[in-house]
Amino acid sequence: MNIPSTMRAVVLTGHGGPEVLEFRDDCPVPEPGPDQVLIKVGACGMNNTDVNTRSGWYSKTVTGATSGDALPKVDDEDPSWGGAPISFPRIQGADAVGTVVALGADANPSLLGKRVMVDCWLRDWNDPLNKDKTGYFGSECDGGFAEYAVAHHRNLGVIESPLSDAELATFSCSYSTAEGMLSRANVGKDDTVLVTGASGGVGSALIQLAHRRGARVVCLASEAKHADLAKLSPAAILPRSPGNLKAALQQSIGQSTVSVVADIVGGTYFPTLIDALERGGRYTCSGAIAGPIVELDLRTLYLRDLTFTGSTVLPPHIFKDLVGYITRGELRPMLAATYPLSDFHNAQAAFIYKAHTGNIVVVP
Amino acid sequence: MNIPSTMRAVVLTGHGGPEVLEFRDDCPVPEPGPDQVLIKVGACGMNNTDVNTRSGWYSKTVTGATSGDALPKVDDEDPSWGGAPISFPRIQGADAVGTVVALGADANPSLLGKRVMVDCWLRDWNDPLNKDKTGYFGSECDGGFAEYAVAHHRNLGVIESPLSDAELATFSCSYSTAEGMLSRANVGKDDTVLVTGASGGVGSALIQLAHRRGARVVCLASEAKHADLAKLSPAAILPRSPGNLKAALQQSIGQSTVSVVADIVGGTYFPTLIDALERGGRYTCSGAIAGPIVELDLRTLYLRDLTFTGSTVLPPHIFKDLVGYITRGELRPMLAATYPLSDFHNAQAAFIYKAHTGNIVVVP
């Protein structure tokens, strides 16, 4: 196969606003190391983590929304999601889907020519369960906002599916994040799960994956998204932040509390969410797009025997499970829009504006 | 046995300051119902929950300490710990220890004459695992701040021990609360547990019970209590709220983070506690004496894969386990002072002032 020496890519040059993202057509095509493969990227999904990393959101005290553009000054040496700074320039993009076109010397040869999805979680494969030895694809190494990317040969899921690359690129980050949250909260068939931010990538993943577990789902989303969300058949769809959540629950599902809240929004609505948990209820979280600093009443946590679980670094089985669900056709992709990589700034603007339901994907 | 018809007791007449607690010598001695026994109280320990219930702390937004005396106006119909109001007049006192002197018709006859400790958790014994059908001794029914009290015959632990009634009365509420916290956080021999408010009843219980599980313990307490706490041999004793907790941990135990925080203090120090948790760490809570409304950074919760557990209503095995530890001599009572019941106001003032280490007990 004829592999060029340069490629098009979107390069993050430091923390900051959109101006630190540069579209280039002269980036070197990476060479796979001994344990790696070279992937010709077919599509790469967008995620909040790209914006958070760019803006420096992981390190700063911000209470507003993740606009990514109005943060206090961030130094390029400030820590990212994992507590350590990332290095620049960096190609972001966690959700790469493509075809393996070259192999490192020690990589599994059966991968050549296969369509693959990248497991976002980089691991030390000599110590794969050690959560302190992890990185994120497109954060601690270059990712998929490019024509080519390299990945460890064990960090891949081979996909056999009628879905397109763009459809597949909606899954990896969002759905493994969502499955990790539900796994941490041990969601099962007796649960009623309240999903916030239900129209986003993780939100729509939470609905589908909670249904897979037999749970009942109630969604919170802005009214403009209700028709789209209805296609996923949740038990009830409520406005984004009902003034009286318990009354809204009572009216829509016949009970004023839920057993699980799966939240990626946070912000000022957090106390209302917690107050809607029944005794012994669980709050599970992997994001805080409306603001990370929230007010917690410890009395509610302890007097009601609640459990809160945060979920970021996932055990390896989550991705493998997800690949199984996809190849068995158990999940429905929510592809909101596709943009060419050269139009990346418009793609990210649309992603941040959040008029879409599901996920936005860029295609090199 | 000659049982009088009236007795001395401290009666809570409504929510409010100390003035709503009245010492009386003409209260009727309660008659045991069919499933109950009558206990001649030998001693009854004091707990924060008594003060919280009196002041109405469970229902109001307060950010200061639990002084019990400077709260916003509380109605007697306001909800207590379990979300429902309690009824007045009420005899408080969870930690009753005494001797069974009379039996209801259906009570276990082998209890007569036995020394017993009361399990604070009232249950529906037809559905004992149902946490929604629970009450607290001295809150949803009359408790032990009296010469006599009645309790369900299944709510008792028979104690064979060389310890005095006053020593035994330091255990039930504090130690079952502490054991419930450690159980919820699944504390084991590989853990390092940071205990806040370590000089109080629950705090000193947490130290001993975490040691029982093989864990390493670091305490936070005011300097005046360090000599007393040293008798319990924690790995390190730090000031109540070190300005740089991670540095203090590094210096004292050679690592800057812990795997578990067991907290009954909350307040403005909460974010510092959470920030000292390692990836995958657990925060377990059953009180918030420095103020329940705290600031939580959801990024710390989710990016570090933390788990928070609140603990209030305990499964029945916790009390049974505790009785076993006591009868086997595995726990050391921390009896700070004994007051006569008639001097209750001074006893509660001393309890709230918190110059003591361990627990304060009243004796009828």
Side-chain angles (χ1 to χ4, degrees):
Chain A
M1 170 140 189
N2 190 19
I3 297 166
S5 59
T6 61
M7 65 177 185
R8 291 175 293 164
V10 173
V11 174
L12 183 72
T13 58
H15 291 304
E19 72 285 353
V20 297
L21 287 165
E22 295 179 9
F23 177 77
R24 294 184 189 164
D25 60 6
D26 60 350
C27 291
V29 170
E31 291 210 15
D35 293 322
Q36 292 181 319
V37 304
L38 181 69
I39 299 164
K40 182 163 172 33
V41 177
C44 188
M46 310 196 85
N47 291 284
N48 288 322
T49 191
D50 305 322
V51 184
N52 293 340
T53 296
R54 164 169 68 72
S55 67
W57 183 86
Y58 289 121
S59 65
K60 290 294 170 187
T61 296
V62 285
T63 52
T66 304
S67 78
D69 302 327
L71 291 188
K73 178 158 173 42
V74 180
D75 293 325
D76 289 350
E77 294 72 31
D78 278 347
S80 190
W81 72 269
I86 66 167
S87 60
F88 301 99
R90 173 62 72 222
I91 298 172
Q92 296 185 282
D95 277 354
V97 172
T99 304
V100 175
V101 294
L103 300 170
D106 300 329
N108 178 350
S110 77
L111 289 168
L112 194 64
K114 291 286 190 342
R115 187 152 74 140
V116 294
M117 228 169 87
V118 177
D119 179 355
C120 312
W121 283 104
L122 314 175
R123 303 178 195 281
D124 177 346
W125 286 105
N126 296 315
D127 190 9
L129 298 179
N130 188 333
K131 291 188 168 188
D132 287 326
K133 295 184 181 173
T134 53
Y136 207 69
F137 193 67
S139 175
E140 280 67 39
C141 73
D142 285 342
F145 292 147
E147 288 182 278
Y148 292 89
V150 292
H152 193 285
H153 72 124
R154 294 184 63 181
N155 248 69
L156 303 174
V158 174
I159 301 282
E160 294 176 12
S161 164
L163 297 176
S164 69
D165 284 359
E167 287 173 319
L168 289 171
T170 60
F171 286 125
S172 184
C173 175
S174 295
Y175 282 68
S176 55
T177 298
E179 180 72 356
M181 292 169 74
L182 299 175
S183 174
R184 286 276 280 145
N186 197 23
V187 168
K189 67 181 173 49
D190 296 328
D191 283 311
T192 299
V193 183
L194 180 67
V195 173
T196 68
S199 61
V202 178
S204 50
L206 284 166
I207 299 170
Q208 295 197 59
L209 291 163
H211 280 160
R212 258 203 88 261
R213 290 166 177 257
R216 179 164 66 159
V217 176
V218 180
C219 307
L220 302 182
S222 61
E223 313 254 353
K225 314 289 179 68
H226 286 200
D228 279 343
L229 286 175
K231 296 173 191 162
L232 297 176
S233 306
I237 310 175
L238 301 176
R240 188 155 55 181
S241 48
N244 188 334
L245 178 58
K246 286 179 153 185
L249 287 168
Q250 183 70 46
Q251 188 167 24
S252 59
I253 59 167
Q255 60 184 61
S256 64
T257 58
V258 297
S259 58
V260 176
V261 169
D263 184 30
I264 51 162
V265 174
T268 55
Y269 203 62
F270 174 85
T272 308
L273 294 172
I274 299 306
D275 205 42
L277 282 168
E278 66 187 26
R279 176 172 298 285
R282 294 99 80 199
Y283 170 83
T284 186
C285 175
S286 70
I289 193 166
I293 310 295
V294 298
E295 185 181 285
L296 169 63
D297 189 334
L298 290 174
R299 292 173 298 190
T300 314
L301 172 65
Y302 86 84
L303 291 171
R304 238 180 270 169
D305 297 299
L306 302 183
T307 301
F308 293 1
T309 51
S311 181
T312 289
V313 182
L314 305 175
H317 74 85
I318 296 281
F319 179 75
K320 290 187 206 304
D321 293 346
L322 180 63
V323 169
Y325 307 157
I326 294 168
T327 56
R328 292 196 299 274
E330 295 175 11
L331 300 175
R332 168 182 179 156
M334 298 282 281
L335 178 60
T338 305
Y339 285 77
L341 184 63
S342 57
D343 200 18
F344 190 87
H345 282 102
N346 283 328
Q348 193 168 79
F351 179 82
I352 293 170
Y353 189 64
K354 304 232 174 284
H356 63 288
T357 301
N359 211 355
I360 291 176
V361 167
V362 294
V363 177
Chain B
M1 168 145 189
N2 191 18
I3 298 165
S5 59
T6 61
M7 65 177 185
R8 291 175 293 164
V10 173
V11 175
L12 182 71
T13 58
H15 292 303
E19 73 284 353
V20 297
L21 287 165
E22 295 179 9
F23 177 76
R24 295 184 188 164
D25 61 6
D26 60 350
C27 291
V29 171
E31 292 211 12
D35 293 322
Q36 294 181 315
V37 304
L38 181 70
I39 300 164
K40 184 166 171 32
V41 177
C44 187
M46 309 195 85
N47 290 284
N48 288 322
T49 191
D50 304 322
V51 185
N52 293 341
T53 296
R54 164 168 69 71
S55 67
W57 183 86
Y58 289 121
S59 65
K60 289 294 168 186
T61 297
V62 287
T63 52
T66 302
S67 79
D69 303 329
L71 291 188
K73 177 157 175 39
V74 179
D75 292 322
D76 289 351
E77 294 71 33
D78 279 347
S80 190
W81 70 270
I86 66 167
S87 60
F88 301 101
R90 172 63 71 222
I91 298 171
Q92 295 185 281
D95 277 354
V97 172
T99 304
V100 175
V101 293
L103 301 170
D106 301 328
N108 179 350
S110 76
L111 290 168
L112 194 64
K114 291 287 191 339
R115 188 152 73 139
V116 293
M117 227 168 88
V118 176
D119 178 354
C120 312
W121 283 105
L122 314 175
R123 302 177 198 282
D124 177 345
W125 285 104
N126 295 314
D127 190 10
L129 298 179
N130 188 334
K131 291 187 168 188
D132 287 325
K133 295 183 182 174
T134 53
Y136 207 68
F137 192 68
S139 175
E140 278 69 38
C141 72
D142 285 343
F145 292 147
E147 289 182 278
Y148 293 89
V150 292
H152 194 284
H153 72 123
R154 293 184 64 180
N155 247 71
L156 303 173
V158 174
I159 301 282
E160 295 176 12
S161 164
L163 298 176
S164 69
D165 284 359
E167 288 173 319
L168 289 171
T170 61
F171 285 127
S172 184
C173 175
S174 295
Y175 282 68
S176 55
T177 298
E179 180 72 356
M181 292 169 74
L182 299 174
S183 173
R184 285 276 281 145
N186 198 23
V187 168
K189 67 181 172 49
D190 296 329
D191 283 310
T192 298
V193 183
L194 181 67
V195 173
T196 68
S199 61
V202 177
S204 50
L206 284 166
I207 300 170
Q208 295 197 60
L209 291 164
H211 281 159
R212 257 203 88 261
R213 291 167 177 256
R216 178 164 67 158
V217 177
V218 181
C219 307
L220 302 182
S222 62
E223 313 254 355
K225 315 290 180 68
H226 286 200
D228 280 342
L229 284 175
K231 297 172 191 163
L232 297 177
S233 306
I237 310 176
L238 302 176
R240 187 157 54 180
S241 49
N244 188 336
L245 177 57
K246 286 180 153 184
L249 287 169
Q250 183 69 47
Q251 188 166 25
S252 60
I253 58 167
Q255 60 185 59
S256 63
T257 57
V258 296
S259 58
V260 176
V261 169
D263 184 31
I264 52 161
V265 174
T268 56
Y269 204 61
F270 174 86
T272 307
L273 295 171
I274 298 305
D275 204 43
L277 282 169
E278 67 187 25
R279 177 171 298 285
R282 294 99 78 199
Y283 169 84
T284 186
C285 175
S286 70
I289 192 165
I293 310 295
V294 298
E295 185 180 284
L296 169 63
D297 189 335
L298 289 174
R299 290 174 299 191
T300 315
L301 172 65
Y302 86 82
L303 291 171
R304 238 181 270 169
D305 296 299
L306 303 183
T307 301
F308 293 2
T309 51
S311 180
T312 289
V313 182
L314 305 175
H317 74 86
I318 296 281
F319 180 75
K320 291 186 205 304
D321 293 347
L322 179 63
V323 169
Y325 308 157
I326 294 168
T327 56
R328 292 196 299 272
E330 295 174 11
L331 301 175
R332 167 183 180 155
M334 299 282 280
L335 178 60
T338 304
Y339 285 76
L341 185 63
S342 56
D343 201 17
F344 190 88
H345 283 102
N346 282 327
Q348 193 167 78
F351 178 82
I352 292 170
Y353 189 63
K354 302 227 174 290
H356 63 288
T357 301
N359 210 356
I360 292 176
V361 167
V362 293
V363 176

